[in-house]
Amino acid sequence: MTDPDAPRLYNTLTKRPEPLEPGPDGVVGIYVCGPTVYGPIHVGNARPFIVFSVLRRYLQRRGLAARLVSNLTDINDKIYEAARKAGVSSTELAERYGAEYVADTDRLGLGRPDLEPKVTEFLPEIVAMIQTLIDRGLAYAAGGDVYFRVDRFPGYGKLSGRRIEDMVSTDPGTAKEHPLDFALWKGHKPDEDAFWESPWGPGRPGWHIECSAMAEAALGRGFAVHGGGLDLVFPHHENEIAQSEGASGEPMAHIWAHNEMIELGGKMSKSEGNIVLLRDALDRWGKDVLITFMLRNHYRSKLPLSDEGLEDASRQVETIRNAVRSLDRGISSPGTAVDRELADALVRSRNEFFASLDDDFNTPRAFAALFELIRAANRAIDGPARPDAGQLRSIRSELVQLLDVLGLADLSAEDAVPAEALEMAGQREAARAARDFAEADRLRDAIAALGYEVRDTPEGPRVTPL
RNA sequence: GGCGACGUGGCGAAGUGGCUAACGCAGCGGUCUGCAAAACCGUUAUUCGCGGGUUCAAAUCCCGCCGUCGCCUCCA
């Protein structure tokens, strides 16, 4: 039973938007591929984190139960390599960067996924799934490794739109039956300092199997959404489908959702070296600007990272802050009217906001709805008949609720203004009353030197951070 | 070579068959202000990369071309 009003998300598998359907337990399960933790994460890695974290907030606000699971890959070639370079054990290195990933993404203030499984915690599940694949004839042990038998899985290539015949493997391997077969288990090599026992000898999981095993362990089979960066479509997600569906005979996930890449003269990527670290972007711009920057573009569009773009986002953020300030000013000196147009604008904006997000998580359109509401509010407050406190309070509260969906509720925080600046603002008022404008301007400059700006309003001066 | 995405005002970005092509930023003019700031009002694409075609009607569908980018190997 499909809910015709359910939010829709574009499905890479079917190339069209499809409704998000909760599982039998009523929960919308979302699995998102997280990073391999061999270094600090960059802004590109942050995009899926932000997009899917905000998606979960949205679904919850819409009254749906949503469970977000996002893994940390803490065992892989790059980790061995980085650990050797750093002169530490790979376990130590992965733990360190895993913790840094959590700390960096915590700064976004979007909450944590409900579960963040690590590969090293799911070895039994991984080994069991590999065994099932072998039992079903879809995998074979060879030379200490185990490979997936690609041509025995009929749907191979259905996600990425490839045919086995069209593909050329750059790593034919020596033990493989078919050049495109991929590793489920990699036999231990002498220079690898972390490995596990298995029925096929010591070693460690291949790259794709961990997500298949962890997603099923955390969300079961046939969960609602499997997400990640577009660059994961092939081979990672294609192989996940082969493994999970090969092992269970059931669909792994209903919707495969992929965010486009952040670009910095081409795709931002660690191996290309053209990266900006998330922590550096946060230091420079703050979380609200960064979230706004990400969400003002659709998640399925490429997003070039640029100072111009961030500055633009920064001004948008300032416009939102000013709107909340104006509402607060209005609430503290309210009028007596009930503004019909404002009331209508609220309903319209709210509906449009939710309709936009229902429509393939169209956050740019949701922002447009937000700004329509802001303009209506500003117009009412500065208009001839200011609304009464009740109406203004309800507008403020609704606006903050919408901001909160996007993770931007902090923009409604009160400005902390030091007493010194407030005192000078008072002195400036006295000077203005005495028409001593030279002194008034001097005091305004002095306040600016403290990092604050005076704005004269009909209700007296307001001091806000610059 | 194979697969795929995209090209909308100065910039960013919605819109994918039919209301005056949203919204944000920047600019310009105005209102307000002692001057500002903020805010509001007005203004900025007869037109949606280019060329054909389908249709009563296209930015939206089809064909061709040009350009940018991604995947095909580790990658969010």
Side-chain angles (χ1 to χ4, degrees):
Chain A
M1 40 174 214
T2 301
D3 175 4
D5 296 326
R8 287 168 175 267
L9 219 48
Y10 181 87
N11 189 353
T12 305
L13 194 55
T14 57
K15 294 190 167 64
R16 56 169 190 243
E18 289 177 359
L20 267 75
E21 293 182 41
D25 54 357
V27 176
V28 177
I30 305 173
Y31 185 91
V32 178
C33 288
T36 299
V37 286
Y38 67 95
I41 68 156
H42 61 248
V43 175
N45 297 306
R47 173 123 96 154
F49 184 92
I50 290 174
V51 164
F52 291 101
S53 293
V54 173
L55 175 66
R56 180 189 55 172
R57 296 171 79 86
Y58 171 64
L59 295 177
Q60 289 174 337
R61 220 50 52 92
R62 213 179 166 293
L64 289 159
R67 177 170 163 81
L68 178 63
V69 178
S70 185
N71 67 291
L72 278 72
T73 295
D74 61 347
I75 184 73
N76 124 332
D77 286 334
K78 302 231 168 183
I79 292 175
Y80 291 127
E81 190 187 324
R84 270 195 297 272
K85 262 186 205 154
V88 299
S89 75
S90 54
T91 305
E92 196 180 326
L93 184 106
E95 272 173 15
R96 177 180 152 203
Y97 285 116
E100 290 192 11
Y101 161 71
V102 171
D104 286 351
T105 46
D106 263 347
R107 291 178 62 190
L108 292 165
L110 295 170
R112 298 304 317 164
D114 297 289
L115 185 72
E116 299 184 275
K118 293 180 177 175
V119 184
T120 51
E121 295 164 352
F122 284 82
L123 263 297
E125 288 82 355
I126 290 168
V127 168
M129 185 174 273
I130 295 173
Q131 188 59 57
T132 302
L133 289 168
I134 292 176
D135 295 344
R136 289 183 146 230
L138 287 162
Y140 55 95
D145 301 335
V146 179
Y147 293 97
F148 188 92
R149 199 171 262 139
V150 160
D151 57 10
R152 287 288 287 278
F153 182 72
Y156 195 74
K158 67 180 178 182
L159 179 69
S160 54
R162 289 154 212 265
R163 293 177 307 171
I164 293 178
E165 314 82 76
D166 289 344
M167 288 189 272
V168 182
S169 175
T170 51
D171 174 28
T174 47
K176 293 185 188 177
E177 291 177 2
H178 184 113
L180 288 169
D181 288 350
F182 58 90
L184 300 173
W185 187 263
K186 294 185 173 185
H188 177 241
K189 296 186 187 64
D191 60 345
E192 296 173 351
D193 64 350
F195 54 92
W196 291 263
E197 289 305 324
S198 84
W200 319 286
R204 41 113 184 178
W207 174 34
H208 318 290
I209 191 71
E210 85 279 17
C211 283
S212 283
M214 294 190 291
E216 180 166 333
L219 295 169
R221 297 171 180 177
F223 52 88
V225 180
H226 189 126
L230 192 65
D231 55 352
L232 295 181
V233 170
F234 190 90
H236 187 53
H237 289 166
E238 193 70 64
N239 290 352
E240 279 187 53
I241 289 176
Q243 294 161 343
S244 290
E245 302 190 356
S248 74
E250 298 172 36
M252 181 183 189
H254 291 301
I255 294 178
W256 289 79
H258 296 100
N259 61 275
E260 252 288 4
M261 300 291 101
I262 302 275
E263 296 183 330
L264 194 63
K267 170 187 160 189
M268 181 178 292
S269 132
K270 278 183 215 172
S271 45
E272 295 297 321
N274 56 337
I275 63 171
V276 172
L277 296 182
L278 175 59
R279 61 181 62 153
D280 293 338
L282 283 167
D283 285 346
R284 179 159 174 209
W285 300 97
K287 72 181 178 72
D288 295 308
V289 170
L290 200 56
I291 292 169
T292 301
F293 175 73
M294 293 272 186
L295 266 26
R296 67 205 276 275
N297 284 56
H298 190 81
Y299 76 97
R300 288 196 293 113
S301 295
K302 288 186 269 283
L303 209 196
L305 187 72
S306 69
D307 283 1
E308 292 74 17
L310 265 330
E311 272 159 19
D312 227 52
S314 169
R315 294 196 188 97
Q316 275 181 277
V317 159
E318 205 44 42
T319 299
I320 296 169
R321 261 202 195 97
N322 282 333
V324 181
R325 286 171 181 144
S326 289
L327 280 163
D328 286 338
R329 179 164 58 84
I331 289 166
S332 55
S333 7
T336 55
V338 170
D339 190 316
R340 193 64 231 165
E341 272 184 45
L342 180 54
D344 290 346
L346 175 60
V347 173
R348 226 179 310 117
S349 296
R350 200 188 149 76
N351 289 343
E352 173 62 13
F353 184 88
F354 283 88
S356 301
L357 296 179
D358 274 358
D359 180 14
D360 194 22
F361 201 55
N362 195 328
T363 51
R365 220 177 106 196
F367 264 106
L370 206 59
F371 280 104
E372 301 272 14
L373 176 59
I374 284 172
R375 177 146 33 87
N378 282 332
R379 195 190 291 141
I381 290 166
D382 286 336
R386 176 174 291 182
D388 66 28
Q391 187 178 17
L392 291 175
R393 274 201 201 92
S394 85
I395 297 289
R396 187 193 198 279
S397 140
E398 291 278 0
L399 176 60
V400 173
Q401 279 180 42
L402 299 186
L403 289 172
D404 190 46
V405 169
L406 302 177
L408 297 173
D410 286 355
L411 297 182
S412 65
E414 266 187 50
D415 300 321
V417 179
E420 191 186 2
L422 289 173
E423 194 180 321
M424 282 195 273
Q427 289 166 11
R428 178 168 166 279
E429 273 310 278
R432 289 179 73 216
R435 304 198 66 77
D436 181 355
F437 296 122
E439 174 65 1
D441 289 345
R442 190 192 67 75
L443 283 159
R444 178 161 57 199
D445 290 344
I447 293 165
L450 292 175
Y452 296 86
E453 176 180 51
V454 192
R455 297 176 183 171
D456 297 321
T457 76
E459 291 79 38
R462 302 230 346 140
V463 185
T464 61
L466 274 172

